[in-house]
Each structure stands twice: as C-alpha cells, then as structure tokens.
Amino acid sequence: MSETAEHSRLDSIVQLLKMNTSASIAEIAESVHVSQMTVRRDLQKLVEAGQVIRIPGGARIEHWRGAERSFFERLEKMSHAKRSIGAAAAALVSDGESVVLDSGTTTLHVARELRARRNVVVFTFSLAALEELTSAEGIRVELTGGVYRPSSHDLIGHAVAKSLTSIFADTVIFGAAAVSFSRGVMVHDPDAQHELLQAGKRKVLVVDSSKIGTEATYRLCGIEDCDLILTDKGISPEDLARLGQMTKVQVATP
C-alpha cells in the first residue's frame, strides 16, 4: 500500500475518533476496511505522533470522563519503558503455562505481549487486561469476582481475595507504585490484593525505573520477596547494583 493511502487511512481514523470520542479496534477496522492487525499498527503510529490515546481494546482522542482519567493517563506515562518491560515479562511465560496478572498500566503492556502465546491461562482482576486478551485465540482468561472500580478499570473486594486464594499459577506478574530500599515494594492503593503474592510459584515485579528509590503509601512486600524485578534501562547503575544485592534484577531492552 502506498504512503499516500496510509496517510489517508490514518486521517480517517483520527476523524472517526473525533466524531465518536472513542472506538474499538473492530469498529475502526470496519470503518476503514482493513484488518484489525493493521489497525493496531496504525494506532501505534498515531500514539507515537501524539494524535490519539490508546485504551484497552481501542483508542480515544478527546477528554476522558473523570473516573477513567487517572488510569488511561498513567497508561501513557513512561509508555516506551513499559512496553519493553511488558515484552520481557511475557517472554518469561512459555506456552502451556498459567499466569496471574495484576491490575495496572505496566501489567497491561504484559497482557498485550502475551497475545501471541498458545494454551496459556491468565487469571486476573483487571478488566483492561481482559479486554486486551479477549480476541487472543491462544489465551484463556479467568476473571475473579469483585466490585468494579472505574479509576483503575479493575475489580476489588473480598471476592477478588477469595478467588486468589484458590489459585496457584506458574507465575505471578505484578506492579507497584514505588520500590523503596528501606520500606520495600509499595503501592498507593489501600485495596491492593496481598493474596496475589501467594497465587503462584514465581513472583515477578514489573516496574519502570522512575519508581525505583521512591516511596508510596502502603507496603506490599519486601524486595527480597520478589523472585525477579523487571525494569527498564533508565535505572541508575547504583540502584541496579543495590537491587541486585537483594534479589534478581533484569533490565528490559527496547
């Protein structure tokens, strides 16, 4: 396809989003008469150009409703780092394995990278991850119960905890708001699911480098409780060495 035709298609996608505020990948594909795979590539180009905002299952262009704003804004922050971390985390999962996937923006990038796996079971309370994996033929998603929380597009409550206590997967992949060398892995969320950490054999923390050496409101676990910490190349050599004395660390490359 010519470059002119591609530009025309990208313009059509932007106009569609301007008219409707948001649209799913399927809706965009039908509108511009291309495959969903092509739409995904087009949306990535538009995101990198700052023209649209990627949301689970599609894209949007104008203002978010208030309750949704925080999650989708966080999704765009450090997006390149989160994308590389997501790819590295997904590479740890082999076909035929099971994964417990935390709610959050970095773990959403993990979900996106898991789409190519085969015969993988993903347990999650993240509706964003569910939407991302719905059309992935090789993935079976098992959603916990719980009460919907718009600010993080996930489920919370006792039903989540009860579900997690019955699961023992191959790998737990979880995020955090901060990694403090004195206080451990920390979150801002009072509803954080501590049961998550007991729901699998291997615990992998995915966290971008901007959060290392910072603190949040609540302690989730110790750094040494993580079997692996995956971060990006923005981590300082000093912080990398210090973390490496406490647990295994892997720096994801673009």
Side-chain angles (χ1 to χ4, degrees):
M1 182 174 290
S2 70
E3 186 174 340
T4 300
E6 180 180 288
H7 287 168
S8 176
R9 188 176 69 245
L10 295 177
D11 287 341
S12 296
I13 293 173
V14 171
Q15 292 306 313
L16 174 67
L17 293 173
K18 283 182 176 179
M19 291 174 59
N20 298 293
T21 302
S22 66
S24 70
I25 289 173
E27 289 169 338
I28 297 170
E30 183 178 358
S31 176
V32 297
H33 309 294
V34 294
S35 69
Q36 292 190 21
M37 183 178 295
T38 299
V39 170
R40 289 179 184 277
R41 289 196 294 264
D42 288 347
L43 289 179
Q44 185 57 45
K45 292 176 183 178
L46 291 170
V47 166
E48 291 173 356
Q51 292 184 268
V52 307
I53 299 157
R54 191 77 158 81
I55 63 173
R60 63 188 303 135
I61 198 165
E62 293 184 358
H63 299 292
W64 294 286
R65 296 191 298 273
E68 296 177 337
R69 185 179 182 89
S70 61
F71 179 81
F72 294 118
E73 277 187 326
R74 295 197 310 270
L75 185 59
E76 293 308 308
K77 183 179 180 182
M78 298 286 288
S79 61
H80 291 289
K82 291 174 181 178
R83 194 176 304 123
S84 64
I85 293 169
L92 299 173
V93 179
S94 299
D95 290 349
E97 291 189 341
S98 56
V99 183
V100 178
L101 198 59
D102 192 8
S103 169
T105 56
T106 305
T107 51
L108 179 56
H109 283 277
V110 179
R112 288 176 179 171
E113 296 294 336
L114 282 172
R115 290 178 56 85
R117 293 292 180 274
R118 292 290 177 266
N119 194 28
V120 166
V121 180
V122 175
F123 302 94
T124 189
F125 44 92
S126 168
L127 296 183
L130 171 67
E131 291 172 2
E132 188 65 35
L133 293 168
T134 295
S135 61
E137 294 182 359
I139 306 290
R140 185 175 91 239
V141 181
E142 295 198 12
L143 194 66
T144 69
V147 177
Y148 179 56
R149 177 173 57 175
S151 62
S152 294
H153 202 35
D154 63 0
L155 301 173
I156 59 173
H158 295 299
V160 178
K162 184 177 180 180
S163 295
L164 290 173
T165 57
S166 68
I167 296 167
F168 192 64
D170 293 297
T171 305
V172 175
I173 301 177
F174 66 108
V179 178
S180 166
F181 291 108
S182 60
R183 299 183 182 275
V185 180
M186 307 187 77
V187 295
H188 289 303
D189 183 5
D191 296 307
Q193 299 296 333
H194 291 266
E195 294 81 5
L196 181 75
L197 301 176
Q198 306 305 318
K201 302 173 188 175
R202 175 176 55 176
K203 293 176 278 294
V204 178
L205 173 64
V206 289
V207 60
D208 69 72
S209 57
S210 71
K211 298 173 181 176
I212 295 173
T214 66
E215 294 187 357
T217 312
Y218 305 98
R219 186 179 191 271
L220 182 63
C221 66
I223 292 173
E224 66 280 0
D225 294 323
C226 306
D227 296 306
L228 173 66
I229 295 178
L230 265 172
T231 189
D232 61 89
K233 64 180 183 179
I235 186 173
S236 71
E238 295 78 15
D239 285 347
L240 180 60
R242 195 171 179 184
L243 277 180
Q245 293 176 348
M246 306 171 80
T247 191
K248 184 177 178 181
V249 185
Q250 180 179 333
V251 177
T253 55

